[in-house]
């Protein structure tokens, strides 16, 4: 079809390509910006632009399956008396009940618990389903404070103070009316059916000095037991990480621009924030300069899809990673078995991103009882556990090839970049050279 | 009555003693002396205690309170009774910003003035302020009632949801989607009850009521294409 057009001399504009034209037409039709879920879809320098240098003569590899390659991680032992001990360094990111169905939340808890890792609540409070099925549950403390209460705070295993999200640093959450069911409305103390926009600023503190006092309060309320994480969207990670550490964080969660979201303006998703790859070295530098690398753990998210991504994030200095979109896909999001249903709502398996609309054929990003009953939490939890096992094995495979007996022993020295952008951002040499742009 | 001085004990020690009462109630009456503006005092209580703080408290005094009654004989810093669930917090003085922020229940009484953002994101609490409140009070207020016996600063009730606001004095300006509403008999009677609970001798008929115009509840979509 395209060839045919070209033969006829029709030339698509690089500036006004078909997607751009479609968006102008859509805006003119509706008078409202495009809102969607998923993460940034544009191409940015990413982990795919890095390669590992496997061992040979100058380095000594470990035997594939036989030799030990540790994967465990302790998060939050700076101040908390009960830090998290996880078996694998891949955690499940905070995704709200409201954006996700109760079954999906339960499935995330089941999958994470089966492999000894943590899951996280979200903007909307803690549900019994997820607490019940999550061995280790991190409780998000967000600007909206929807459903926030001290009972759940004490029931949590860690507290994550959310300052931002990679998909929308500087923006608050959204939940469209279709998804504000009776239960969601009740949990958030909101009228049913409204298009809810969460606050982007915390209501009772401004600036890093106040944040330190806020953290002190959270610790007092929970008797200094729980680790306190601070989650930031990647924009100025060098400064934000320093301030988070100064404010008393036990761990920093750094979410790059490719990070998923349940509902955000497309213009925000695609144009605000910096790529995960560019954010990690800045964060690590900040920690190192403070003498806090490995003392305040760095948890990286935003576009983590496989064991290579896990290994690369860790080699750049992360202590653990966190996944959102990949976890939903493992549960069954965008699965071809629902192809006909995706077509009906104008999408396709592999393209579906209308998490905000609440019509998810896979029963994950919906509050519709009929649709959410399509997701069997036990089965979906098993699928997630399988996926988490695979990516852990993949990361171990790479680490062993680099001669590392623990994923934490991976280091920047194990990496090269295949293009200049990635070399400059990740601060590793361009493959085949000793050149790190900017250094 | 047990009295503890913060000149001799740390905030951690004092809070731990109070928290221990949630497990087993051995002493219901507490007096905390020489607070000297310390933060996070008497926060996270979860028992029917009566705690009196003799002096000034810092940020987040009585934060996330459940069941307890906390009285402060002095001023309080930012976020007094923030996210309170139940119980009663009474400040016999002035309060800084974000008093009663996001609180879900209980009663917060401030005898003096409260600064900016009083009742921000409130989710069911009742707040009665004897004096004035600063700008952006009841910002995004979701539920509960805010009573101001004096004046309110600019942008009162900006982006408000279902909270009800009663102001006796002047309102510098109303925030987005906040409007004045009719003061009906049911409102006068709920206000009378609130004022009585707070111990304020003010005539409920002198107040005006404000709330949401509900114009921002849903996005406006045009569908110019006739869809
Ligand atoms: C459906 C969905 C809901 C989300 N909800 C929240 C939330 O409530 N709070 C939050 O901090 N981040 C939220 N996020 C962002 C994730 O916590 C995480 O930062 C992001 O998904 C990581 O990037 P990835 O999706 O590429 O793995 C959400 C993401 C998705 C996909």
């Amino acid at each position: 079809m395209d060839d045919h057009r070209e033969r006829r001399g029709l030339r698509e504009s690089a500036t006004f390509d078909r997607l751009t034209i479609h968006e102008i037409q859509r805006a003119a039709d509706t008078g409202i910006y495009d809102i969607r879920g998923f993460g940034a879809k544009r191409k940015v320098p990413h982990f795919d632009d890095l390669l590992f240098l496997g061992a040979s003569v100058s380095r000594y590899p470990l035997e594939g399956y036989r030799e030990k390659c540790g994967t465990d991680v302790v998060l939050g032992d700076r101040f908390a008396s009960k830090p998290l001990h996880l078996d694998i360094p891949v955690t499940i990111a905070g995704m709200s009940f409201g954006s996700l169905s109760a079954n999906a939340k339960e499935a995330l808890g089941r999958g994470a618990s089966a492999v000894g890792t943590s899951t996280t609540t979200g903007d909307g409070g803690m549900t019994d389903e997820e607490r019940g099925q999550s061995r280790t549950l991190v409780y998000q403390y967000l600007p909206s404070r929807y459903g926030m209460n001290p009972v759940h705070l004490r029931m949590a295993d860690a507290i994550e103070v959310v300052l931002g999200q990679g998909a929308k640093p500087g923006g608050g959450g959204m939940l469209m009316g279709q998804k504000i069911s009776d239960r969601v409305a009740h949990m958030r103390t909101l009228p049913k059916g409204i298009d809810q926009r969460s606050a982007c600023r915390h209501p009772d503190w401004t600036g890093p000095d106040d944040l330190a006092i806020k953290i002190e309060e959270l610790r007092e309320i929970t008797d200094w037991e729980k680790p306190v994480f601070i989650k930031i969207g990647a924009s100025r990670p060098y400064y934000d990480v320093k301030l988070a550490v100064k404010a008393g964080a036990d761990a920093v969660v750094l979410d790059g621009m490719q990070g998923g979201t349940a509902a955000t303006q497309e213009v925000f998703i695609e144009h605000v924030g910096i790529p995960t790859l560019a954010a990690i070295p800045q964060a690590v530098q900040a920690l190192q300069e403070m003498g806090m690398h490995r003392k305040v753990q760095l948890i990286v998210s935003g576009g983590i899809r496989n064991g290579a991504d896990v290994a690369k994030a860790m080699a750049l200095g992360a202590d653990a990673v966190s996944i959102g979109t990949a976890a939903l896909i493992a549960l069954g999001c965008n699965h071809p078995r629902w192809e006909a249903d995706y077509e009906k709502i104008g999408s396709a398996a592999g393209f579906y991103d209308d998490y905000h609309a609440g019509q998810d054929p896979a029963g994950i990003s919906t509050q519709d009882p009929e649709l959410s009953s399509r997701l069997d939490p036990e089965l979906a939890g098993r699928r997630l556990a399988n996926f988490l096992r695979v990516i852990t094995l993949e990361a171990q495979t790479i680490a062993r090839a680099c001669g590392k007996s623990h994923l934490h022993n991976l280091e920047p020295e194990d990496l090269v970049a295949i293009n200049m952008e990635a070399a400059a951002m990740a601060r590793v040499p361009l493959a085949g050279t000793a050149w790190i742009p900017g250094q | 009555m047990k009295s503890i001085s913060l000149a001799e004990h740390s905030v951690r020690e004092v809070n731990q003693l109070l928290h221990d009462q949630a497990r087993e109630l051995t002493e219901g009456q507490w007096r905390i002396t020489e607070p000297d503006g310390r933060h996070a005092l008497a926060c996270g209580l979860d028992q029917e205690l009566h705690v009196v703080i003799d002096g000034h408290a810092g940020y987040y005094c009585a934060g996330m309170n459940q069941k307890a009654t906390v009285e402060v004989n002095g001023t309080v810093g930012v976020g007094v009774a923030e996210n309170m669930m139940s119980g009663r917090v009474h400040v016999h003085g002035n309060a800084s910003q974000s008093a009663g922020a996001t609180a879900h229940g209980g009663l917060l009484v401030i005898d003096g003035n409260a600064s900016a953002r009083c009742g921000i994101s409130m989710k069911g609490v009742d707040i009665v302020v004897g004096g004035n409140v600063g700008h952006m009070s009841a910002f995004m207020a979701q539920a509960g009632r805010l009573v101001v016996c004096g004046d309110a600063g600019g942008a009162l009730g900006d982006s408000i949801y279902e909270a009800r606001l009663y102001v006796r004095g002047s309102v510098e300006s109303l925030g987005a989607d906040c409007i004045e509403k009719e003061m009906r008999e049911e409102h006068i009677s709920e206000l009378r009850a609130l004022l009585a609970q707070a111990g304020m001798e003010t005539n409920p008929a002198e107040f005006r009521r404000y709330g949401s115009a509900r114009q921002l509840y849903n996005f406006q979509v045009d569908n110019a294409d006739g869809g």
Side-chain angles (χ1 to χ4, degrees):
Chain A
M1 176 107 136
D2 282 356
D3 290 342
H4 182 61
R5 285 181 179 140
E6 273 176 23
R7 254 187 283 129
R8 285 162 52 208
L10 301 180
R11 178 174 177 180
E12 179 166 25
S13 165
T15 307
F16 288 88
D17 61 15
R18 272 166 285 181
L19 283 174
T20 306
I21 289 173
H22 184 269
E23 173 50 22
I24 293 171
Q25 290 161 343
R26 193 209 57 77
D29 275 349
T30 61
I32 181 175
Y33 41 47
D34 191 19
I35 298 168
R36 67 170 175 86
F38 222 82
K41 291 189 167 182
R42 65 153 75 210
K43 193 165 170 52
V44 294
H46 197 36
F47 295 121
D48 287 340
D49 300 316
L50 302 183
L51 295 172
F52 278 100
L53 301 175
S56 57
V57 184
S58 62
R59 297 286 185 285
Y60 203 68
L62 297 185
E63 207 62 66
Y65 278 105
R66 297 188 194 89
E67 283 179 286
K68 187 175 172 326
C69 177
T71 61
D72 60 310
V73 60
V74 176
L75 299 176
D77 55 351
R78 182 184 182 198
F79 292 120
S81 65
K82 294 184 178 169
L84 304 187
H85 291 264
L86 305 181
D87 295 337
I88 63 168
V90 185
T91 67
I92 305 301
M95 294 181 275
S96 71
F97 166 69
S99 77
L100 300 185
S101 66
N103 280 353
K105 289 298 284 176
E106 179 181 337
L108 292 172
R110 285 176 179 272
S113 300
V115 297
T117 190
S118 61
T119 181
T120 312
T121 65
D123 197 4
M126 183 190 287
T127 64
D128 293 340
E129 289 93 334
E130 66 182 334
R131 178 60 281 189
Q133 295 303 334
S134 306
R135 198 183 77 180
T136 307
L137 182 61
V138 181
Y139 189 47
Q140 284 201 329
Y141 188 73
L142 298 114
S144 73
R145 311 275 167 88
Y146 290 137
M148 212 312 288
N149 71 67
V151 178
H152 288 159
L153 201 66
R154 292 187 198 102
M155 280 165 66
D157 299 295
I159 301 163
E160 183 169 302
V161 179
V162 179
L163 301 201
Q165 228 179 288
K168 46 179 166 185
M174 281 183 169
L175 196 64
M176 297 295 111
Q178 308 89 292
K179 294 177 82 172
I180 312 267
S181 65
D182 284 323
R183 184 176 177 197
V184 173
H186 178 75
M187 277 181 73
R188 300 185 185 211
T189 325
L190 286 170
K192 195 182 169 184
I194 67 160
D195 293 328
Q196 170 243 293
R197 278 153 277 188
S198 320
C200 65
R201 297 189 301 257
H202 280 264
D204 55 355
W205 60 269
T206 33
D209 296 333
D210 281 9
L211 175 57
I213 306 173
K214 172 50 75 177
I215 288 176
E216 182 188 329
E217 182 208 12
L218 294 172
R219 291 194 191 280
E220 278 299 320
I221 289 174
T222 53
D223 295 332
W224 290 73
E225 286 178 356
K226 325 257 179 220
V228 177
F229 302 173
I230 294 183
K231 176 174 179 173
I232 55 177
S235 51
R236 297 180 184 84
Y238 174 75
Y239 298 102
D240 291 342
V241 167
K242 283 204 165 178
L243 292 170
V245 172
K246 180 170 171 280
D250 290 305
V252 175
V253 181
L254 176 66
D255 193 24
M257 75 168 283
Q258 300 100 310
T261 174
T264 301
Q265 298 90 332
E266 153 107 1
V267 71
F268 212 148
I269 299 176
E270 297 288 353
H271 297 278
V272 185
I274 66 170
T276 307
L277 194 65
I280 303 174
Q282 289 194 47
V284 172
Q285 184 192 345
L287 291 168
Q288 284 170 339
E289 284 176 8
M290 297 178 93
M292 284 296 181
H293 191 217
R294 308 284 183 217
K295 292 184 184 143
V296 169
Q297 287 79 30
L298 178 66
I299 305 164
V300 167
S301 60
I304 305 267
R305 306 152 296 174
N306 51 44
D309 292 350
V310 175
K312 288 168 186 174
M314 294 184 72
L316 290 176
D319 295 275
V321 301
S322 204
I323 59 168
T325 306
L328 300 185
I329 294 170
L331 297 186
C333 176
N334 269 298
H335 200 284
R337 69 186 283 213
W338 305 112
E339 185 64 67
D341 287 348
Y342 286 120
E343 297 286 343
K344 266 187 234 155
I345 52 175
S347 189
F351 294 83
Y352 184 66
D353 61 12
D354 288 328
Y355 293 171
H356 68 288
Q359 298 173 305
D360 184 358
I364 295 169
S365 59
T366 182
Q367 295 303 320
D368 180 290
E370 199 276 312
L371 290 173
S372 43
S373 71
R374 290 181 177 186
L375 189 83
D376 173 352
E378 217 184 309
L379 186 66
R382 245 171 64 205
R383 294 177 57 90
L384 175 60
N386 280 339
F387 173 67
L388 288 167
R389 283 189 196 103
V390 168
I391 65 175
T392 305
L393 282 170
E394 286 175 346
Q396 284 174 300
T397 301
I398 288 172
R400 286 196 183 96
C402 295
K404 306 296 193 297
S405 60
H406 198 291
L407 293 182
H408 286 152
N409 297 342
L410 287 164
E411 53 194 323
E413 200 265 336
D414 295 318
L415 291 170
V416 291
I418 55 171
N419 56 48
M420 274 169 26
E421 286 84 355
M425 288 182 189
R427 304 182 190 174
V428 298
L430 189 65
T433 77
W435 183 48
I436 302 176
Q439 289 191 9
Chain B
M1 161 89 63
K2 193 166 162 67
S3 186
I4 331 171
S5 164
L6 277 162
E8 287 154 30
H9 297 273
S10 66
V11 170
R12 182 78 285 270
E13 287 167 336
V14 172
N15 282 335
Q16 190 66 58
L17 285 171
L18 297 171
H19 292 176
D20 289 344
Q21 295 297 319
R23 241 164 287 135
E24 193 193 354
L25 180 62
T26 55
E27 174 62 66
Q29 308 285 321
W30 296 77
R31 180 174 294 275
I32 298 171
T33 61
E34 292 160 286
D36 294 345
R38 284 187 179 78
H39 304 307
L41 287 179
C43 63
L45 304 188
D46 186 15
Q47 180 58 279
E48 283 163 11
L49 308 176
H50 190 126
V51 180
V52 177
I53 298 174
D54 261 335
H56 307 308
Y59 283 40
Y60 312 127
C61 178
M64 301 197 201
N65 185 50
Q66 289 168 281
K67 301 180 199 152
T69 296
V70 179
E71 280 189 72
V72 184
N73 292 318
T75 64
V76 290
V78 171
V80 62
E82 66 86 17
N83 216 88
M84 171 159 62
M85 304 303 293
S86 60
R88 178 183 171 115
V89 175
H90 196 141
V91 181
H92 301 291
N94 299 321
S96 181
Q97 296 189 46
S98 303
T102 75
H104 288 68
L107 175 68
L108 169 63
V109 182
I110 295 158
D111 288 345
N113 301 315
S115 183
R117 301 180 184 85
C118 179
I120 183 171
S121 277
M122 53 194 277
K123 296 170 174 30
V125 68
D126 289 322
I127 305 177
V128 181
V129 180
N132 309 323
V133 296
H135 66 269
M136 295 299 264
S137 287
F139 176 61
M140 291 179 101
Q142 293 169 231
R145 297 162 298 185
L146 171 65
V147 180
V148 182
C149 298
D151 304 330
L156 176 73
D158 194 282
S159 309
I160 188 174
Y161 294 98
E162 293 297 300
R164 289 199 286 283
L165 315 180
Y166 296 101
V167 183
R168 181 155 155 259
S170 66
V171 173
E172 191 180 312
S173 66
L174 292 173
D177 214 29
C178 184
I179 53 170
E180 184 171 353
K181 296 192 165 184
E182 187 194 351
M183 193 74 176
R184 295 191 299 267
E185 193 42 53
E186 77 232 47
H187 302 118
I188 292 187
S189 72
E190 83 165 2
L191 183 52
R192 182 176 295 118
L194 278 170
L195 289 165
Q197 274 181 57
M200 306 264 174
E201 285 166 14
T202 315
N203 179 2
E206 292 169 10
F207 287 73
R208 290 164 178 242
R209 180 169 75 103
Y210 305 88
S212 181
R214 304 189 178 97
Q215 296 298 306
L216 293 178
Y217 277 14
N218 290 96
F219 281 111
Q220 307 292 328
V221 180
D222 181 22
N223 285 327
D225 209 18

